[in-house]
């Protein structure tokens, strides 16, 4: 029975460590995820095709033609001025590459809208064009659009990098890793120890952190919520085209476990 608990404890502790260090180590294949997103967007034709055609039309700087492709309900008196500003960001050259970077389908006020985000690579800039398509409107399918320009691709801008960061970055990262290892070791001891009172209760407490501090690795921005919780106490979040987020909580359950370790493992304790 003791060997079985040690095996289970080792497996669960390693799973806790690997599940988070896998994200931190960058072994998540972001390019493979990007290809999967492209395949998902392939199911949204003709909306994706309409979005690309609309951006190509804007590149011609033919404002009346652009206006003709937009539902009049979403055009205001400043439309011509808005288009002049868009033309400043949108080159007329053919893009080197067009990469879908996101989509969303929503029903609003009884109407279906498809939001398609496309990244365009040009010779001197990257453009992210978000086009809102209203499939129910055959002749005027575009309900809105947004264009932003960048000096690097979204993939490069959101990539996780260790070099060139501030002391604050390294300190919080180190604290999160130490916290994670501390919880994993505590979890193993709690499971593998021969006598632990309320073993399963303590397992749950060890995996739960109190309070929540989130740190945006890309922006260096921190947020704190004292009345929240985190499972596990150290967690890393890295999604496609999103910066690494460090989520760190106080491992109160693990700390209390060690503070009460001797009492919890008394020989006369109930076996669980």
């Amino acid at each position: 029975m003791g060997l079985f608990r040690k095996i289970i404890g080792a497996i669960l502790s390693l799973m806790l460590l690997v599940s988070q260090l896998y994200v931190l180590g960058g072994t998540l294949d972001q390019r493979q995820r990007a290809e999967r997103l492209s395949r998902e967007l392939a199911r949204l034709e003709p909306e994706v095709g309409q979005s690309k055609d609309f951006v190509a039309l804007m590149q011609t700087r033919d404002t009346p033609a652009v206006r003709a492709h937009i539902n009049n309900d979403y055009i205001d008196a400043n439309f011509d001025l808005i288009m002049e500003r868009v033309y400043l960001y949108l080159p007329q050259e053919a893009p080197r590459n067009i990469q879908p970077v996101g989509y969303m389908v929503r029903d609003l006020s009884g109407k279906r809208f498809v939001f398609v985000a496309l990244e365009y690579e040009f010779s001197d800039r990257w453009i992210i064009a978000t086009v809102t398509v209203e499939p129910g409107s055959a002749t005027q399918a575009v309900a809105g659009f947004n264009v932003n320009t960048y000096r690097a691709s979204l993939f490069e801008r959101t990539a996780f990098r260790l070099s060139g960061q501030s002391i604050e970055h390294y300190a919080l990262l180190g604290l999160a890793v130490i916290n994670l290892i501390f919880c994993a070791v505590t979890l193993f001891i709690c499971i593998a120890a021969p006598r632990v009172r309320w073993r399963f209760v303590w397992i749950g407490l060890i995996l739960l952190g109190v309070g929540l501090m989130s740190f945006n690795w890309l922006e260096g921005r921190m947020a704190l919520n004292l009345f929240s919780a985190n499972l596990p106490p150290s967690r890393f979040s890295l999604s496609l085209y999103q910066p690494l987020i460090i989520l760190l909580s106080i491992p109160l359950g693990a700390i209390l476990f060690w503070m009460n370790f001797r009492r919890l493992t008394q020989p006369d304790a109930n076996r669980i």
Side-chain angles (χ1 to χ4, degrees):
M1 189 65 179
L3 178 60
F4 177 75
R5 283 200 309 269
K6 290 179 181 179
I7 293 174
I8 295 299
I11 291 174
L12 293 179
S13 299
L14 286 174
M15 287 178 60
L16 175 62
L17 283 172
V18 172
S19 65
Q20 299 306 312
L21 296 180
Y22 178 77
V23 179
L24 183 61
T27 51
L28 277 174
D29 194 339
Q30 296 287 68
R31 296 192 184 278
Q32 188 178 51
R33 284 191 163 196
E35 293 173 0
R36 189 182 308 125
L37 175 63
S38 298
R39 291 193 296 270
E40 292 176 4
L41 274 166
R43 300 197 300 255
L44 287 177
E45 292 291 351
E47 288 84 359
V48 175
Q50 288 175 334
S51 300
K52 292 180 179 179
D53 292 342
F54 182 73
V55 174
L57 181 61
M58 287 195 296
Q59 286 186 274
T60 67
R61 303 189 177 184
D62 187 347
T63 301
V66 173
R67 181 191 292 269
H69 282 74
I70 301 178
N71 191 318
N72 287 326
D73 294 340
Y74 309 111
I75 296 179
D76 59 22
N78 298 319
F79 180 77
D80 290 350
L81 179 60
I82 293 172
M83 291 310 304
E84 290 299 323
R85 292 178 178 176
V86 170
Y87 298 151
L88 295 176
Y89 298 105
L90 192 59
Q92 291 182 283
E93 66 181 89
R96 295 179 177 179
N97 183 48
I98 303 175
Q99 177 67 40
V101 293
Y103 73 95
M104 182 173 59
V105 180
R106 295 192 65 182
D107 291 320
L108 300 172
S109 302
K111 297 181 179 179
R112 180 173 178 265
F113 294 91
V114 179
F115 301 81
V116 178
L118 303 167
E119 182 180 62
Y120 287 75
E121 179 185 356
F122 295 101
S123 59
D124 62 342
R125 73 191 73 177
W126 279 260
I127 298 291
I128 294 184
T130 303
V131 181
T132 305
V133 177
E134 185 181 354
S137 177
T139 58
Q140 295 175 318
V142 176
F145 64 90
N146 186 53
V147 176
N148 291 289
T149 181
Y150 302 93
R151 295 183 177 181
S153 69
L154 184 59
F155 189 89
E156 293 177 359
R157 286 186 288 114
T158 58
F160 171 63
R161 295 182 178 87
L162 272 174
S163 60
Q165 306 299 333
S166 68
I167 295 177
E168 182 184 44
H169 281 74
Y170 297 128
L172 289 174
L173 178 60
L175 182 61
V177 172
I178 292 171
N179 192 19
L180 182 64
I181 294 173
F182 172 65
C183 292
V185 171
T186 304
L187 178 64
F188 172 77
I189 297 299
C190 180
I191 297 173
R195 292 177 297 272
V196 177
R197 281 180 177 175
W198 311 303
R199 189 190 306 273
F200 295 107
V201 174
W202 280 107
I203 289 174
L205 291 175
I206 290 168
L207 292 174
L208 185 65
V210 177
L212 181 62
M213 185 211 70
S214 63
F215 182 75
N216 187 312
W217 188 265
L218 182 63
E219 301 175 0
R221 182 164 42 87
M222 185 187 303
L224 185 63
N225 187 345
L226 297 177
F227 303 101
S228 186
N230 196 26
L231 182 68
S234 279
R235 184 159 54 91
F236 304 100
S237 174
L238 180 62
S239 302
L240 179 63
Y241 301 130
Q242 298 295 325
L244 175 73
I245 304 296
I246 299 176
L247 299 166
L248 182 62
S249 296
I250 299 173
L252 185 60
I255 294 172
L256 291 175
F257 175 81
W258 286 111
M259 290 176 63
N260 295 276
F261 182 73
R262 290 187 177 180
R263 184 172 62 84
L264 291 170
T265 56
Q266 290 292 329
D268 58 342
N270 294 326
R271 295 177 180 271
I272 298 180

